[in-house]
Amino acid sequence: MSRFSRPRAAPLVALVLLAACDTPQSVSREAQSPDTAPPLAEHLDDGTCQARDLRPAVYEHVMGEVQVVQAEIAEDGTVIRPPIYRRAPVPKVVRERAEITFEAPCPEDMTPEFISSVQRALAARGYFSGNISGRMDAPTTAAVRTYQSERGLESAQLSLETARALGLVAVELPET
């Protein structure tokens, strides 16, 4: 290797490394990770709103038997050779998939000011550490899901009960 080939290669390598480190300024953070806002609640005939969410099935693996060789059966129905099984982990449904519905704030109530209040209320309770943006972005929905899951509702959609518990919606008192 001659002493003249090294100086020409060094600037080229440096240029390639610098080009690899350059990130486009026009790509926003939202473009890299889209918001995963849950769908809005639906209006009901009685003037309230209801949210729907799917609760995924939960599986666990348990030891079971898996057929590895099929049985041989004669034309008259007699078993020539029984099937062969081996023990192996098999999936078992622990909780079925289900659609859950619950009362939720109506879409017109989900204003940026209201969502900012939700974010501040969750932050005050240690569930939200993101920026107060007034949007149902990924950190907000994750905080809502965590808060509600601890209270028995596994959903990232804000329920009316949660909004009341956070002090954001008036609690209806029984008539006396």
Side-chain angles (χ1 to χ4, degrees), residues 79-108:
V79 177
I80 298 171
R81 184 180 59 190
I84 299 174
Y85 295 90
R86 68 174 166 84
R87 294 195 47 80
V90 294
K92 175 185 172 191
V93 177
V94 175
R95 183 182 73 193
E96 293 286 336
R97 177 182 180 268
E99 180 179 86
I100 55 175
T101 57
F102 50 91
E103 199 173 1
C106 291
E108 61 271 11

Side-chain angles (χ1 to χ4, degrees), residues 10 20-21 43 52 80 83 89 105 112 132 140-141 146 172:
C21 294
H43 287 278
R52 297 177 188 272
I80 298 171
I132 306 299
T140 306
T141 55
T146 302
E172 296 177 14

Side-chain angles (χ1 to χ4, degrees), residues 3 28 34 39-40 60 63 65 70 102 130 133 155-156 162-163 170 173:
R3 64 184 181 128
S28 66
L40 296 174
E60 71 178 3
M63 287 307 287
E65 292 187 342
Q70 198 169 9
F102 50 91
S133 64
S155 176
T162 298
L173 297 175

Side-chain angles (χ1 to χ4, degrees), residues 141-174:
T141 55
V144 168
R145 179 180 297 281
T146 302
Y147 183 83
Q148 291 184 149
S149 292
E150 290 178 4
R151 287 151 185 79
L153 177 61
E154 294 182 36
S155 176
Q157 296 185 63
L158 182 69
S159 73
L160 198 56
E161 182 180 329
T162 298
R164 287 183 179 132
L166 293 173
L168 304 174
V169 175
V171 176
E172 296 177 14
L173 297 175

